[in-house]
Amino acid sequence: MAWRPLAALSLLLCFGSSCCEDTQDHFLSEKIINNVVQDPQTGRIYLGAVNHIYQLNHDLQKESSAVTGPKLDNPLCTPPITVQCSEAKEMDNINKLLLINSANGTLIVCGSLFRGICSLVNLHSVDKPVYYSDTKGEKTYVASTEESVAVVGVISYFTDAHTNANLSVFLVGKGYGSSDSSKLISTRLLQEHGEMDVFENMVEASTVQASPFVQRYLHNFRYAFKHNGKIYFLFSRTPGTSDNRNFTFIARLCENDHHYYSYTELQLNCSLSAEQQENKYNKVQAAYLAKPGEDLARNITPSNPDDKVLFAVFSSDEDSGGSALCMYPLSSINARLEEVIESCYMGELEDKKPKTVYSPYISKTETICSTKRD
């Protein structure tokens, strides 16, 4: 989802300061901005725009920039692009993902060119490349070639079971484009490890493999975050049938669960009132996790004023002009997820069917939560 330059930066400043009154600082990009991130340690702001990366100081003055496109490419060709790719043409590089890795001073930059390849650049000067390779093949393709396919990510870690090495990784959630892999969520290396390359996927889990259902489940990832040892992904998808309505889900897994065994989904409804059961605003468009102000906290999290709240903006399939902001205390989301997991372990049934299932993507026909587990 592209943001207009000034709107994006004004929003960021309002989140990062106590007020936005009379601020004269601004930065105007000639290209549409796709992603905005801020380094909490330095206050620097990084913009991922079409064909450009910008680095600004806290006063929105440009410190550094890098050109990422346009370049000769064709989504059907395997990088590197050579004369053998006769259909190659100049294509824009749409920024798909921008992540700050403070641990080693790098900025992760993923674009739409070259099958969604990523690069690492210097946090202190984005015009200085740290790592890039277009010769490692499909295992290192991270993002999507299609503009409409959103990509989200979060920095994490991976502990090697054999060597106990603590590896720097990032988890990526993305929908499916015609030239993309069917992995909905993947764990990507940020360093070479043994025979594995930078950006290679560390996990092969059927839990998050949409194949052969990619044409039925149209995922649209919008937000990813981590909190208290858990990683969350927020997305919408269609039901996997002829029904084209969207439903919004939040998925959670334990950060130290490197096999995604703990992956669980919970549907989120956004309605006009608590009494109204109809899920009127069904498709999430944007979200942000934050601690609410005192007045709001007293109303929605009175028993836990320090609880964080997921603020999410939804649209409606039925009313293209309608939208709503819904708020979900993170403690309430976690409590409901625990209920879902507990009912599965206890084998609880409802109308002779399990109240919960493990994953909608697997092709097994047996009932997953029908028997009790220790």
Side-chain angles (χ1 to χ4, degrees):
M1 179 174 64
W3 286 353
R4 289 292 176 183
L6 232 49
L9 294 187
S10 297
L11 178 64
L12 184 68
L13 285 175
C14 287
F15 273 130
S17 61
S18 58
C19 69
C20 298
E21 298 176 0
D22 300 325
T23 177
Q24 301 299 314
D25 300 328
H26 71 277
F27 172 79
L28 184 64
S29 169
E30 296 180 359
K31 300 292 184 178
I32 287 178
I33 296 171
N34 308 119
N35 287 295
V36 181
V37 294
Q38 185 173 29
D39 188 340
Q41 296 182 0
T42 65
R44 284 193 176 106
I45 298 166
Y46 302 89
L47 313 179
V50 177
N51 297 328
H52 290 82
I53 301 295
Y54 298 104
Q55 172 187 322
L56 314 178
N57 64 17
H58 63 276
D59 292 323
L60 300 187
Q61 303 303 305
K62 187 174 79 171
E63 294 182 337
S64 178
S65 65
V67 176
T68 61
K71 295 183 180 180
L72 281 175
D73 189 23
N74 186 308
L76 300 179
C77 294
T78 300
I81 304 301
T82 63
V83 292
Q84 277 72 35
C85 183
S86 58
E87 301 299 317
K89 61 181 181 180
E90 289 281 320
M91 297 184 67
D92 287 332
N93 195 358
I94 300 163
N95 182 259
K96 290 290 188 176
L97 185 64
L98 214 57
L99 284 178
I100 291 172
N101 186 16
S102 302
N104 63 3
T106 60
L107 181 71
I108 303 166
V109 181
C110 305
S112 60
L113 288 183
F114 310 137
R115 303 289 292 275
I117 283 177
C118 300
S119 62
L120 302 176
V121 298
N122 194 309
L123 266 183
H124 302 291
S125 186
V126 296
D127 61 337
K128 295 180 180 178
V130 175
Y131 177 87
Y132 174 81
S133 175
D134 60 2
T135 63
K136 303 299 183 181
E138 185 175 356
K139 62 185 179 182
T140 61
Y141 303 160
V142 176
S144 176
T145 61
E146 297 187 13
E147 184 175 0
S148 61
V149 177
V151 181
V152 299
V154 61
I155 296 290
S156 186
Y157 70 91
F158 189 101
T159 304
D160 188 291
H162 302 291
T163 64
N164 281 329
N166 196 15
L167 307 174
S168 183
V169 300
F170 64 111
L171 272 71
V172 178
K174 74 172 185 64
Y176 178 74
S178 57
S179 302
D180 301 332
S181 75
S182 59
K183 294 180 179 66
L184 295 172
I185 296 174
S186 58
T187 301
R188 302 289 180 159
L189 263 173
L190 282 169
Q191 62 191 82
E192 292 182 347
H193 178 61
E195 297 181 354
M196 301 189 75
D197 294 308
V198 180
F199 300 131
E200 187 168 346
N201 180 35
M202 296 284 292
V203 178
E204 290 295 336
S206 61
T207 310
V208 292
Q209 287 275 17
S211 181
F213 309 110
V214 287
Q215 301 300 333
R216 288 195 274 159
Y217 295 110
L218 301 179
H219 288 73
N220 194 340
F221 283 84
R222 284 304 181 186
Y223 188 45
F225 63 95
K226 64 180 182 179
H227 185 263
N228 286 347
K230 306 286 196 306
I231 294 177
Y232 301 79
F233 292 92
L234 187 65
F235 58 91
S236 62
R237 69 160 182 257
T238 53
T241 63
S242 57
D243 189 346
N244 291 323
R245 291 178 304 166
N246 284 280
F247 295 89
T248 293
F249 295 84
I250 187 165
R252 189 190 76 176
L253 65 153
C254 299
E255 188 173 13
N256 62 0
D257 169 21
H258 302 320
H259 300 284
Y260 305 166
Y261 295 139
S262 59
Y263 180 89
T264 312
E265 293 179 357
L266 179 70
Q267 184 179 331
L268 296 182
N269 283 355
C270 185
S271 303
L272 291 174
S273 66
E275 294 75 24
Q276 182 183 7
Q277 297 301 312
E278 180 188 0
N279 183 23
K280 179 175 175 62
Y281 300 98
N282 53 312
K283 187 175 183 179
V284 66
Q285 296 291 348
Y288 191 74
L289 183 75
K291 184 178 176 181
E294 291 183 9
D295 291 342
L296 183 58
R298 277 195 296 269
N299 281 279
I300 62 175
T301 59
S303 61
N304 184 6
D306 294 324
D307 193 8
K308 288 198 172 182
V309 172
L310 180 66
F311 298 86
V313 176
F314 291 77
S315 64
S316 170
D317 283 342
E318 299 175 356
D319 178 10
S320 59
S323 63
L325 170 68
C326 281
M327 297 173 285
Y328 307 88
L330 193 57
S331 60
S332 298
I333 290 175
N334 286 326
R336 186 70 186 105
L337 281 166
E338 295 302 326
E339 290 178 19
V340 168
I341 295 169
E342 185 68 17
S343 68
C344 182
Y345 279 124
M346 294 179 64
E348 291 182 353
L349 300 180
E350 196 170 81
D351 297 328
K352 297 184 179 180
K353 293 181 180 180
K355 291 177 66 175
T356 60
V357 294
Y358 180 65
S359 170
Y361 315 116
I362 62 174
S363 56
K364 296 178 182 178
T365 56
E366 67 266 19
T367 302
I368 300 170
C369 296
S370 62
T371 57
K372 291 186 178 181
R373 287 161 169 75
D374 293 334

